[in-house]
Amino acid sequence: MAQQHLDPTAGPVAGDTLEAYLQAQATEFLRALRQHRETGGTTATATNGVEEAVDAARALRRSARRISGTLHTFRPFLDEGWSEGMRPELAWLSGTLAREHAYGARLERLLAALHRLSGSSAFPAQAADPDAHPGTHPGARAQLPSEKGALTVGAAKAGALLERQLTLARTRAHSAALQALGSSRFHAVADNVAVLASEVPLTASASVTGLRPLAAAAEERLGDAVAGLPLITAGHPYNAEALVHGLSADTAPQPQDSPWHQVRLLLRLHRYAREVLFGDEAPVDVRLLTAGQALDRHRDAAEAAAAAASAARTPRIAPATAYALGVLHADQRHEVEAARFAFQRAWMRETVGTP
């Protein structure tokens, strides 16, 4: 099936459809906020209400992203002052709530990679403990290749270092989220969303113009951004492009990742525009779904690699620990490369829709 682009000349009148979508997302936001308050913003280490609190925070982020994205794509149909004031506040809220989960997922990803790279299903600290394996000969570890041994020895300390740093960051992110949810700034956002649930400030053009031209423009921006990606290089497995500048002393994020992150954001806006147009009856575009998953993996791997590099810059760490973190960084940059390859394969595939 050939790729089906949005037809900018057809479609429903914007007002009713856009209003219904924004009101539905605003209602979902308020429902998630009520659920979050009922659970008391439980931390991830508590025993009661953990899943409810996590689900509520995820629903808050989900609805905030969709409202913000819709305000961006269809801003000509909305009151400009109100829309431009709401978008950055929703982005602030979504980003603040996302950090705690991001740090936790990053730590889990890096520790799992350390287990895999050390060749042990147990945490390296356990494998290094002779008491944990009574039948193991004391000299068995000495028979391993030197590089494998160095990684296994360093992996335990590298994992402990990453756990300290990312757990601290996660704790601070949790405190920041609780502080944000209790701030006057958040209450102003919640009040605006409550108003949105009952009344959408549409412009006069929303009653006479279709939605598809603006949705098609969002799709075109996505296409232009993808055209700027090095897809030919990404289409070659093991091209090692993602490892370029891997030994740079610059602590800033790798500039080669930025265009891919931008495509991820534009793909999300395109998906939200399709949701506005088609609602719950929108067919699942397998191509977009697969491409989006690849870009999510790209973002996660890039941020995990940056965390490993940051940990490796810790003063006075042991050489074996630095070595393990270097191997871990290279592993995650290889994951970046694999995600780019997966995106290229998904994007070049013809569109397949499922009902």
Side-chain angles (χ1 to χ4, degrees):
M1 183 185 299
Q3 181 181 356
Q4 296 179 352
H5 296 281
L6 297 174
D7 180 6
T9 63
V13 174
D16 295 341
T17 304
L18 183 59
E19 183 178 36
Y21 181 83
L22 285 173
Q23 288 179 339
Q25 294 303 323
T27 301
E28 178 63 25
F29 180 97
L30 297 174
R31 183 183 299 114
L33 177 59
R34 181 172 62 252
Q35 181 183 0
H36 192 276
R37 286 172 174 169
E38 290 173 355
T39 59
T42 310
T43 66
T45 57
T47 56
N48 297 322
V50 176
E51 294 183 359
E52 291 81 358
V54 171
D55 291 343
R58 183 182 297 113
L60 274 174
R61 298 199 310 267
R62 180 182 183 275
S63 55
R65 287 197 308 265
R66 279 165 168 75
I67 294 173
S68 178
T70 302
L71 296 182
H72 174 78
T73 301
F74 300 101
R75 57 187 179 276
F77 294 155
L78 298 157
D79 180 79
E80 182 178 1
W82 175 85
S83 178
E84 293 301 316
M86 275 286 288
R87 281 175 46 212
E89 296 303 291
L90 289 168
W92 160 76
L93 175 62
S94 178
T96 301
L97 294 179
R99 290 192 189 99
E100 179 183 3
H101 170 76
Y103 285 125
R106 196 170 305 153
L107 176 60
E108 183 178 351
R109 179 189 185 94
L110 289 170
L111 292 181
L114 280 173
H115 297 170
R116 171 172 48 82
L117 293 168
S118 64
S120 173
S121 58
F123 188 70
Q126 298 175 350
D129 184 4
D131 296 334
H133 304 276
T136 302
H137 189 276
R141 287 177 54 83
Q143 299 174 6
L144 296 174
S146 59
E147 289 190 3
K148 188 74 170 181
L151 176 59
T152 304
V153 170
K157 293 183 178 180
L161 176 60
L162 288 168
E163 190 164 9
R164 286 196 303 271
Q165 292 183 347
L166 292 176
T167 300
L168 176 60
R170 185 182 183 183
T171 301
R172 289 175 174 172
H174 178 74
S175 299
L178 291 181
Q179 185 177 4
L181 291 174
S183 66
S184 58
R185 183 178 182 181
F186 171 74
H187 288 302
V189 174
D191 290 343
N192 285 329
V193 173
V195 172
L196 181 64
S198 58
E199 181 182 0
V200 179
L202 299 171
T203 62
S205 61
S207 61
V208 296
T209 309
L211 290 167
R212 289 186 182 269
L214 293 178
E219 183 181 21
E220 183 178 354
R221 288 192 293 271
L222 171 62
D224 292 342
V226 172
L229 295 177
L231 291 185
I232 295 178
T233 301
H236 295 283
Y238 309 110
N239 59 76
E241 184 69 21
L243 282 88
V244 174
H245 305 304
L247 295 178
S248 172
D250 190 359
T251 59
Q254 293 211 21
Q256 63 167 294
D257 294 338
S258 299
W260 296 87
H261 296 333
Q262 180 65 16
V263 168
R264 177 177 173 271
L265 296 177
L266 293 174
L267 179 59
R268 176 182 288 175
L269 291 176
H270 175 49
R271 283 178 37 234
Y272 296 165
R274 286 173 53 87
E275 289 181 6
V276 174
L277 288 179
F278 303 112
D280 295 335
E281 300 178 357
V284 177
D285 191 326
V286 179
R287 174 172 171 266
L288 290 180
L289 179 63
T290 307
Q293 291 171 345
L295 291 175
D296 287 343
R297 293 197 302 271
H298 179 276
R299 187 272 316 270
D300 293 342
E303 292 181 346
S310 177
R313 297 186 185 97
T314 303
R316 297 182 298 279
I317 60 175
T321 305
Y323 173 76
L325 290 169
V327 173
L328 183 60
H329 174 268
D331 174 75
Q332 292 303 301
R333 292 307 300 179
H334 277 296
E335 292 290 333
V336 169
E337 176 187 307
R340 293 176 182 178
F341 177 76
F343 174 82
Q344 191 270 350
R345 295 290 296 273
W347 191 258
M348 302 305 293
R349 186 182 307 158
E350 292 183 343
T351 299
V352 177
T354 60

